[in-house]
């Protein structure tokens, strides 16, 4: 096993936070500077993996080899967890798993980096078009406040779903992926990634009067968001990935991001490698 890719399917809301405020949202999610897409930074993911190793009582010598210590680097490089599928509310029916050509192309490139190439044709929708496996009765798909003309491409969507399904832990979710998957143009997908995330109001109350002391708004990634990250061992250190994989044998879940005490951040982990 040379490299591995882990799929992180959100089971609860995720708050991969940033310290910067943006407008009305006091605590937005972390985003890539160039694309604006939500991201779980590698240092945060590495910390969550290290905490998982502590919970599973992994041998200290093995743990230090994997994650490193202050005076020497770890044996495994943990990349940022990148967005791949975003749940979007649909007025046409059940929610859709939305993605775009850029994210699919980047996923292919990342698989080549991990020496786990996947060969599928990336669908290329035009503006105001959504590519899906099935065409609705009126040939229109409504996502949030926008409408799209649907182009049916069952073969292309099936190939994409087959490539993405190993990143999803639950069989029931994998089985509905093809039906719910839609590919939007890069620009229109970015609209949902920028402005379509869940925003929660949080409040701190005075213990005696129960009056509000601090009201703030947090942005979160919704449940069923799919992210993925690469685990790349240093040369000659490939066996350490087996130790990481074993952490998820009996409980394939990982808690990442902020707000752990209110149950956020739980992800089902799938291992591709």
């Amino acid at each position: 096993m040379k490299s591995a890719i882990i799929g992180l399917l959100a089971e609860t809301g995720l708050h991969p936070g940033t310290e910067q405020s943006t407008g009305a949202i006091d605590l937005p999610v972390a985003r890539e500077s160039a694309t604006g897409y939500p991201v779980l930074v590698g240092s945060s993911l590495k910390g969550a993996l290290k905490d998982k190793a502590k919970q599973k009582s992994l041998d200290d010598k093995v743990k230090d080899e994997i994650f490193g210590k202050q005076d020497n680097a770890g044996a495994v490089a943990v990349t940022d967890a990148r967005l791949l599928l975003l749940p979007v509310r649909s007025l046409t029916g059940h929610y859709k798993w939305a993605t775009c050509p850029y994210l699919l192309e980047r996923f292919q490139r990342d698989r080549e980096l991990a020496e786990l190439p996947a060969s599928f044709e990336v669908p290329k929708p035009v503006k105001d078009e959504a590519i899906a496996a099935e065409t609705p009765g009126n040939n229109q798909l409504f996502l949030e406040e926008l409408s799209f003309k649907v182009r049916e491409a069952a073969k292309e969507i099936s190939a994409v779903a087959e490539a993405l399904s190993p990143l999803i832990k639950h069989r029931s979710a994998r089985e509905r992926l093809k039906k719910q998957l839609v590919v939007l143009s890069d620009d229109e997908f970015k609209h949902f990634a920028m402005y379509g995330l869940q925003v929660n109001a949080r409040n701190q109350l005075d213990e005696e009067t129960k009056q509000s002391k601090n009201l703030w708004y947090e942005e979160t990634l919704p449940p069923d968001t799919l992210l993925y990250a690469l685990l790349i061992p240093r040369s000659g250190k490939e066996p350490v990935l087996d130790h990481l994989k074993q952490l998820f044998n009996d409980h394939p879940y990982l808690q990442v991001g902020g707000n752990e005490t209110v149950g956020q951040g739980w992800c089902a982990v799938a291992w591709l490698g």
Side-chain angles (χ1 to χ4, degrees):
M1 183 185 296
K2 293 187 177 181
S3 295
I5 297 177
I6 56 172
L8 301 170
L9 181 68
E11 301 282 30
T12 63
L14 299 184
H15 180 67
T18 178
E19 296 180 356
Q20 296 179 346
S21 174
T22 57
I25 300 176
D26 302 290
L27 296 174
V29 300
R31 295 180 180 274
E32 299 173 357
S33 59
T35 65
Y37 293 147
V39 64
L40 174 65
V41 296
S43 58
S44 178
L45 179 56
K46 185 176 180 180
L49 290 169
K50 188 174 183 179
D51 187 59
K52 179 81 170 181
K54 291 180 181 178
Q55 294 174 18
K56 292 296 181 179
S57 300
L58 188 66
D59 181 79
D60 287 341
K61 184 177 179 181
V62 175
K63 185 173 62 181
D64 290 341
E65 181 184 10
I66 294 173
F67 299 105
K69 295 189 294 185
Q70 186 172 1
D71 55 349
N72 64 299
V76 178
V78 181
T79 71
D80 295 343
R82 293 172 159 180
L83 179 65
L84 190 53
L85 296 178
L86 181 68
V88 178
R89 182 175 56 178
S90 174
L91 300 180
T92 308
H94 198 33
Y95 80 85
K96 299 297 182 182
W97 261 316
T99 188
C100 67
Y102 173 71
L103 292 185
L104 295 175
E105 174 203 331
R106 187 167 68 173
F107 176 59
Q108 285 184 320
R109 289 170 15 216
D110 285 337
R111 289 190 61 146
E112 290 177 4
L113 174 60
E115 299 182 73
L116 300 166
S119 178
F120 61 86
E121 184 178 350
V122 176
K124 300 289 179 64
V126 298
K127 189 177 185 301
D128 297 328
E129 181 182 61
I131 299 179
E134 300 176 355
T135 304
N138 58 0
N139 201 34
Q140 289 288 113
L141 175 65
F142 290 89
L143 299 176
E144 293 287 354
E145 75 280 12
L146 302 180
S147 65
F148 299 87
K149 182 178 180 181
V150 177
R151 172 156 62 92
E152 185 174 329
K155 186 176 180 180
E156 292 180 37
I157 293 297
S158 294
V160 174
E162 183 178 352
L164 303 190
S165 61
L167 299 176
I168 299 175
K169 182 65 179 177
H170 306 297
R171 185 181 67 178
S172 58
R174 293 196 302 267
E175 289 174 347
R176 60 184 168 85
L177 174 58
K178 176 183 173 182
K179 184 177 180 180
Q180 290 183 243
L181 181 62
V182 295
V183 182
L184 308 176
S185 69
D186 293 337
D187 292 341
E188 286 165 324
F189 176 83
K190 185 174 182 178
H191 169 80
F192 295 112
M194 290 292 294
Y195 307 112
L197 302 189
Q198 184 173 316
V199 177
N200 302 319
R202 301 282 304 278
N203 200 359
Q204 181 184 9
L205 300 180
D206 184 273
E207 292 186 5
E208 295 183 0
T209 65
K210 305 306 179 184
Q211 292 182 335
S212 175
K213 292 175 61 179
N214 184 23
L215 175 67
W216 73 96
Y217 293 90
E218 291 181 352
E219 191 177 37
T220 59
L221 291 169
D224 279 4
T225 298
L226 181 64
L227 306 155
Y228 71 94
L230 279 66
L231 305 178
I232 306 174
R234 289 161 53 196
S235 178
K237 300 290 185 178
E238 289 83 356
V240 297
L241 289 180
D242 293 328
H243 295 291
L244 278 178
K245 186 176 182 181
Q246 290 170 8
L247 297 176
F248 301 99
N249 284 346
D250 58 343
H251 189 251
Y253 295 92
L254 184 69
Q255 195 170 20
V256 296
N259 297 333
E260 293 184 356
T261 59
V262 292
Q264 291 187 6
W266 283 107
C267 296
V269 178
W271 191 280
L272 176 63

